[in-house]
Each structure stands twice: as structure tokens, then as C-alpha cells.
Amino acid sequence: MKLTTLILAGGIGKRLWPLTTDKALFDFAGCPIIDYVVEDLKAAGITDLIIVANPDNQAQLRSLYPQAKVTIQDKPTGMADGIL
């Protein structure tokens, strides 16, 4: 069975301000936090990824993860909206 994973990376990260406004791309120990999630998924054998991005980070996420389908959540209206 092939699993597809949905990664929600469309939030604005306002609670991390002034460090960053994009928590998924926040650098931690030399790489973006989202890298840890993607690498763990790969280690588990999951390679089919859908990343929900926001208009500001979608280009960078597409560049970092060309194998993933990147979709855009236009407004930060919550996780449920990101899933829809």
C-alpha cells in the first residue's frame, strides 16, 4: 500500500516572531525544521508528499522538495482549512 502524507506548512508562525515568520523554514541545527519531518517520512518509506504552503514560502518549498506536490493555502485560516 502506498501512503501519501500531508504536511501543513502554510501557517504564518506569529508566535515565533521576531525569530521568524515562517516556522516550517526556521533553521534549526543547520536545516529547516520541515527537513526533519521529510527525512523521518523518507526513513519510514513514505515518499509521496503533499505540502500545504503559503504564498510567501511556496517557491522555497517547491525548490527544496521538487518531488513533493506543493499546494497553496492563500490565507492563514487554520489547519482545517489547510487540509481542505
Side-chain angles (χ1 to χ4, degrees), residues 2-74:
K2 183 176 180 181
L3 294 176
T4 300
T5 300
L6 181 68
I7 301 172
L8 299 175
I12 57 174
K14 63 184 175 186
R15 288 179 291 220
L16 289 177
W17 184 87
L19 298 175
T20 187
T21 56
D22 196 323
K23 56 189 166 196
L25 295 172
F26 183 70
D27 187 60
F28 182 77
C31 62
I33 287 179
I34 193 172
D35 266 359
Y36 295 99
V37 174
V38 171
E39 291 305 315
D40 284 347
L41 290 169
K42 286 182 187 177
I46 300 170
T47 57
D48 193 13
L49 305 175
I50 300 171
I51 300 174
V52 179
N54 64 49
D56 295 330
N57 70 4
Q58 60 99 9
Q60 192 170 1
L61 288 168
R62 286 182 203 274
S63 167
L64 286 171
Y65 310 105
Q67 75 280 9
K69 177 182 178 187
V70 177
T71 185
I72 300 171
Q73 182 179 5
D74 291 322

